[in-house]
Amino acid sequence: MRLLCLLSLTVLLGACRSPDVTQSSAASAVESVSQELLASVAKQLFGAERNGSGQSPAPFGSYAKGCLAGGAQLPETGPTWQAMRLSRNRNWAHPETVAFVQRLSRAAANAGWNGLYVGDLSQPRGGPMLTGHRSHQVGLDADIWLRPAMDLNLSVQQRENLSSISMRRQNGAFVNGNWTRTHHEIIRAAASDPAVARIFIFPGAKVQMCNDETGDRRWLRKVRPWYGHHYHFHVRLACPRGASGCVDQNPPPPGDGCAVAQQWVNNILNPPPPDPNAPPPKPRRELTLADLPRQCANVLSSR
């Protein structure tokens, strides 16, 4: 709105001047406003959008530095899922992510739950979030609650107040008594989906799945240990076919990754001494619109 108002004011003032002056003033105003917009904090711009852009679906950039054109909204309630924390307005994603969540929810229903409680996907136009994640920016990330979804008739208020439940013990070195074989089966179904590139979960859960799996172990390669992720697991889809503006991660290393997860657990139980020569961490700078792919300005302006 600020941009449109400034441009309108420029046109009105220019009507009182010669044509040459009008064109020059308008060009200067557009350039000035554009530079101001590019310098704006991206999370403020994308966090203010309430609906997807009127464009064909396309992810632009990387998972932690990008945006989403033509985002689709996961319905708040379906036959085998419920979107949680609706006040956040983060049940938007690339259509392939929405389709994946629905597929996985059906698998969860077949595995013994009634379906899934779905946490954050992305904002309507992706981009950096006002709070929380640094990823989830291109509509290809989904947080799936580890709390079994047995009641799919939760009210809006219940979805705001209900919390997921932790699965970890000893700071994530082991699973606790809330972990079940059904968790294993649902995560295996997610990792076996061809659209999925990675799944992030706390180290103890990965080690537990490594110990319990007696069949095909290839899916374990996609399950990667990561900090936190004991109330939900994080699914990351690969860039869709033909999405030329999307930046994939490198594939996970070969193998099932179980030794890597065990090392994480060992480090939790017996932390290595800190490196006295390690440089202090650099403070993270807020991303601006200029930091994102150039298409993201069009995603913001599309109506």
Side-chain angles (χ1 to χ4, degrees), residues 19-290:
D20 289 343
V21 173
T22 301
Q23 292 172 7
S24 175
S25 299
S28 297
V30 170
E31 181 179 353
S32 175
V33 172
S34 296
Q35 290 302 315
E36 181 182 358
L37 193 65
L38 287 171
S40 299
V41 175
K43 69 180 183 181
Q44 302 293 338
L45 300 173
F46 284 93
E49 296 294 335
R50 307 306 298 168
N51 294 290
S53 70
Q55 299 167 302
S56 298
F60 294 114
S62 63
Y63 300 96
K65 189 184 288 186
C67 60
L68 171 66
Q73 190 173 27
L74 176 73
E76 295 177 0
T77 298
T80 51
W81 76 85
Q82 283 201 290
M84 308 300 284
R85 304 290 190 269
L86 298 176
S87 62
R88 296 180 178 181
N89 196 30
R90 294 178 180 177
N91 57 322
W92 295 78
H94 189 280
E96 289 198 11
T97 307
V98 172
F100 163 77
V101 169
Q102 294 171 338
R103 286 197 302 275
L104 185 62
S105 73
R106 292 191 292 270
N110 290 332
W113 298 356
N114 288 340
L116 295 176
Y117 293 143
V118 183
D120 287 351
L121 303 182
S122 293
Q123 297 176 137
R125 303 188 188 203
M129 291 186 176
L130 289 170
T131 59
H133 317 281
R134 286 187 63 84
S135 60
H136 291 252
Q137 294 193 27
V138 293
L140 298 174
D141 293 289
D143 287 346
I144 307 298
W145 280 22
L146 288 165
R147 182 183 187 121
M150 307 310 293
D151 182 359
L152 295 179
N153 295 302
L154 299 176
S155 67
V156 171
Q157 192 59 48
Q158 286 173 318
R159 291 187 235 190
E160 293 295 327
N161 296 332
L162 185 69
S163 295
S164 189
I165 53 179
S166 176
M167 298 287 145
R168 75 176 184 178
R169 179 167 58 89
Q170 283 194 249
N171 203 31
F174 305 102
V175 297
N176 61 25
N178 295 321
W179 181 265
T180 67
R181 179 68 188 191
T182 305
H183 290 91
H184 180 113
E185 298 296 336
I186 291 171
I187 293 171
R188 178 168 63 182
S192 300
D193 193 297
V196 171
R198 274 177 171 75
I199 293 173
F200 301 104
I201 197 164
F202 69 99
K206 168 70 186 259
V207 170
Q208 186 68 48
M209 287 184 281
C210 288
N211 293 339
D212 291 345
E213 183 55 63
T214 58
D216 186 349
R217 301 176 66 83
R218 287 177 293 179
W219 63 274
L220 286 165
R221 179 188 180 196
K222 294 183 182 179
V223 182
R224 313 307 299 181
W226 200 246
Y227 307 99
H229 293 85
H230 55 102
Y231 286 96
H232 69 268
F233 64 98
H234 177 162
V235 181
R236 173 164 293 167
L237 271 61
C239 292
R241 186 185 301 273
S244 59
C246 183
V247 180
D248 261 317
Q249 282 185 273
N250 292 328
D256 60 18
C258 291
V260 173
Q262 184 62 56
Q263 187 58 55
W264 277 68
V265 167
N266 295 344
N267 290 341
I268 291 171
L269 297 175
N270 296 290
D275 181 359
N277 299 316
K282 294 181 179 179
R284 286 177 171 172
R285 181 178 63 82
E286 294 284 6
L287 293 175
T288 66
L289 183 57

